[in-house]
């Protein structure tokens, strides 16, 4: 939030309403999200406190000095919704593996649990970095997060690949798996082929594919250690990602993960719902209904304005 929010922030008391941690949040967005939760008889406040307020290093969104609109705050709010969904999917996957829930193989449940655990940590770190104006490490995490989203989707598409991952017994095995099946866009290619079969074209010449490639190119620059100036020090016309961009890309990718998972595994919502009774007291019961909520709020997700 480098250009729109100050460094200082006051974190509300633990039991205050969630919206107190998002000063300047769009009332319309808050009302829509609450309506979506209420329609499914879900307790938004309780789930938010358990899943977001409890994060290590939790920070409220700093109050902007001269806000033009609510876009920056809305983005963090939607990011947190996506993070809560990832935590729910993780709990459901752990329950699915532990109770041998049919519909996905044990290796698929196991792989999904592992990837979503990584995603949870990455998102918690990205959130903290974005709110403390550290865009470079945020960019690095956003790139890694994108690869993990591809990994999760490919595990849902290819059970045999999930089994190969489950059979990895060392760091060397895991690195070899990554090079062979994930790195270099290999997973994305397989996902695109599967999505094409259900009517979504993500071939290399589409606008989406070009946008994704351009973002990942900038993110990889941060990963490989090249120095980028801040937006205020770059010549006119140069493009560099700052906090809002990394946060937006990560939020978009998680929403995309949610939507595409339903397409490549049409029975997924029912499978997630079947794990709810096996893991009471966890986030697992949120996984299925929150999937529908996340898809419903995609229309509220807009890219940050340069």
């Amino acid at each position: 939030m480098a250009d729109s929010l100050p460094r200082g922030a006051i974190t509300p008391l633990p039991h205050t309403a969630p919206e107190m941690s998002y000063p300047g949040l769009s009332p319309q967005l808050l009302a829509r999200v609450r309506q979506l939760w209420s329609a499914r008889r879900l307790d938004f406040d309780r789930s938010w406190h358990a899943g977001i307020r409890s994060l290590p290093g939790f920070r409220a969104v700093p109050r902007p000095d001269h806000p033009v609109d609510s876009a920056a705050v809305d983005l963090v709010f939607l990011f947190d919704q996506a993070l809560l969904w990832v935590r729910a999917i993780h709990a459901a996957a752990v329950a699915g593996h532990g109770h041998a829930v049919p519909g996905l193989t044990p290796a698929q449940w196991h792989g999904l649990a592992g990837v979503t655990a990584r995603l949870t940590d990455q998102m918690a770190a990205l959130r903290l970095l974005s709110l403390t104006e550290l865009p470079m490490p945020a960019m690095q995490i956003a790139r890694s997060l994108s690869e993990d989203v591809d990994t999760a989707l490919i595990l849902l598409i290819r059970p045999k690949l999930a089994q190969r991952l489950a059979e990895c017994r060392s760091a060397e095995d895991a690195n070899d798996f990554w090079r062979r099946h994930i790195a270099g866009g290999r997973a994305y290619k397989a996902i695109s082929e599967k999505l094409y079969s259900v009517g979504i074209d993500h071939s290399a010449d589409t606008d989406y594919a070009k946008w994704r490639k351009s973002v990942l190119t900038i993110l990889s620059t941060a990963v490989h250690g090249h120095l980028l100036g801040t937006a205020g020090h770059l010549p006119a016309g140069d493009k560099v990602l700052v906090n809002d961009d990394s946060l937006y890309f990560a939020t978009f990718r998680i929403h995309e993960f949610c939507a595409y998972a339903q397409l490549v595994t049409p029975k997924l919502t029912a499978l997630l719902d079947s794990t709810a009774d096996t893991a009471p007291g966890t986030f697992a019961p949120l996984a299925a209904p929150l999937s529908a909520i996340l898809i419903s709020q995609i229309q509220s997700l807009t890219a940050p304005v340069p």
Side-chain angles (χ1 to χ4, degrees):
M1 325 301 292
D3 296 331
S4 50
L5 300 176
R7 291 182 181 275
I10 298 175
T11 299
L13 295 173
H15 300 295
T16 54
E19 53 265 34
M20 297 298 292
S21 293
Y22 305 92
L25 177 67
S26 165
Q28 292 81 7
L29 176 60
L30 176 63
R32 173 170 172 75
V33 168
R34 285 194 173 279
Q35 182 182 35
L36 289 170
W37 281 70
S38 178
R40 292 164 178 80
R41 298 182 179 180
L42 300 175
D43 189 334
F44 172 67
D45 286 31
R46 182 178 180 181
S47 299
W48 182 89
H49 279 98
I52 303 299
R53 184 63 175 80
S54 64
L55 289 171
F58 171 82
R59 289 175 64 94
V61 177
R63 185 177 296 279
D65 292 328
H66 305 288
V68 176
D69 54 38
S70 64
V73 181
D74 293 351
L75 178 58
V76 181
F77 185 68
L78 292 172
F79 176 88
D80 286 349
Q81 293 277 303
L83 174 49
L84 190 54
W85 177 76
V86 169
R87 298 196 71 173
I89 293 296
H90 172 69
V94 171
H97 181 262
H99 293 83
V101 174
L104 294 180
T105 67
Q108 285 177 301
W109 283 124
H110 183 265
L112 190 61
V115 173
T116 51
R118 276 174 50 93
L119 284 171
T120 299
D121 290 345
Q122 289 167 341
M123 294 183 75
L126 179 56
R127 185 186 195 280
L128 182 58
L129 292 168
S130 294
L131 293 179
T132 51
E133 299 183 13
L134 294 170
M136 190 65 72
M139 291 165 65
Q140 296 170 350
I141 292 174
R143 181 177 184 270
S144 179
L145 179 148
S146 182
E147 291 179 338
D148 280 342
V149 167
D150 287 345
T151 302
L153 287 171
I154 200 66
L155 294 179
L156 290 174
I157 294 171
R158 297 186 174 179
K160 291 183 178 179
L161 205 59
Q163 184 60 41
R164 292 183 186 178
L165 177 61
E167 292 170 354
C168 293
R169 292 293 180 268
S170 66
E172 290 76 14
D173 292 342
N175 287 334
D176 183 64
F177 176 88
W178 193 265
R179 288 193 300 269
R180 288 176 178 270
H181 306 293
I182 307 299
R186 292 175 178 82
Y188 175 65
K189 181 179 179 181
I191 294 166
S192 297
E193 291 173 353
K194 180 66 176 181
L195 290 174
Y196 185 80
S197 70
V198 297
I200 297 179
D201 184 8
H202 277 345
S203 54
D205 59 346
T206 62
D207 290 340
Y208 169 84
K210 293 175 182 177
W211 171 77
R212 172 190 165 104
K213 182 179 180 181
S214 67
V215 172
L216 289 176
T217 298
I218 297 173
L219 294 178
S220 65
T221 303
V223 172
H224 295 301
H226 300 292
L227 296 178
L228 294 176
T230 61
H233 293 85
L234 287 177
D238 283 2
K239 172 64 177 172
V240 59
L241 264 71
V242 292
N243 282 318
D244 284 2
D245 300 288
S246 297
L247 203 67
Y248 170 75
F249 184 65
T251 309
F252 182 89
R253 289 292 282 142
I254 296 299
H255 279 74
E256 195 175 49
F257 173 21
C258 179
Y260 290 166
Q262 317 299 317
L263 292 175
V264 301
T265 312
K267 58 187 177 182
L268 183 61
T269 299
L271 294 180
L272 295 174
D273 194 43
S274 67
T275 68
D277 293 335
T278 67
T282 71
F283 292 112
L286 283 177
L290 196 49
S291 295
I293 291 174
L294 214 66
I295 292 173
S296 296
Q297 70 184 31
I298 289 177
Q299 61 183 302
S300 301
L301 183 60
T302 55
V305 177

